[in-house]
Amino acid sequence: MGVRIALIAALLLAGCENVGLAPNPAGTEAVARGRVAAERLGCGACHVIPGIWPAGTSGPSLANFRNRASIAGRQANRPDRLAEFLLDPAGTAMPRQPMSARDAADIAAFLHSAPQSAHAR
Ligand code: HEC
């Protein structure tokens, strides 16, 4: 019994150590995936997004988007709401861009990331 408890404690400690070695890896990976997805889906055709080609202007600039209060003037600018908007921008001037829920969540993480604002013009 004592051995079992010691083993469980050791496994728990090992788990905690792994978290400490890699701070927030999921968040960083989502941001990186989001940048790639935004490029692949052609968001830059209509939007200025720092670091993404070609920086079109038929939609509003998304530079520093994390600092905006609202999404298309309709709802609070939170990453989860942004992902929902990207999946279905119905009722706004933005045409729906077919994408997976994961693409939407990743792009929302990217648009809310600090490096994105650091590259802003
Ligand atoms: C064909 C042009 C077009 C494409 C492609 C496009 N958008 Fe848009 N987008 C718009 C327009 C126009 C609006 C303004 C909607 C409104 O305010 O009614 C908009 C609005 C937005 C907003 C809200 C902006 C604000 O000021 O609140 C976000 C965020 C956004 N788009 C992200 C994206 C992302 C991410 C992609 C790629 C997956 C994308 N858009 C692709 C035209 C486009």
Side-chain angles (χ1 to χ4, degrees), residues 43 46-47 60 62 68 71-72 85-86 92-95 97 99 107:
C43 311
C46 298
H47 294 286
L62 302 182
R68 297 278 194 84
I71 303 162
F85 166 84
L86 293 175
T92 76
M94 173 154 146
Q97 310 293 306
M99 70 180 82
I107 293 173

Side-chain angles (χ1 to χ4, degrees), residues 23-106:
N24 197 16
T28 311
E29 283 169 21
V31 169
R33 282 195 310 262
R35 176 186 293 275
V36 171
E39 236 154 23
R40 171 170 46 84
L41 293 167
C43 311
C46 298
H47 294 286
V48 169
I49 307 173
I52 296 217
W53 183 83
T57 52
S58 56
S61 168
L62 302 182
N64 282 322
F65 193 74
R66 67 200 287 263
N67 297 333
R68 297 278 194 84
S70 69
I71 303 162
R74 288 169 170 253
Q75 46 191 326
N77 184 16
R78 300 189 333 218
D80 57 336
R81 298 260 175 89
L82 180 54
E84 281 169 24
F85 166 84
L86 293 175
L87 281 173
D88 184 13
T92 76
M94 173 154 146
R96 191 171 168 278
Q97 310 293 306
M99 70 180 82
S100 68
R102 177 166 156 166
D103 282 340
D106 289 345

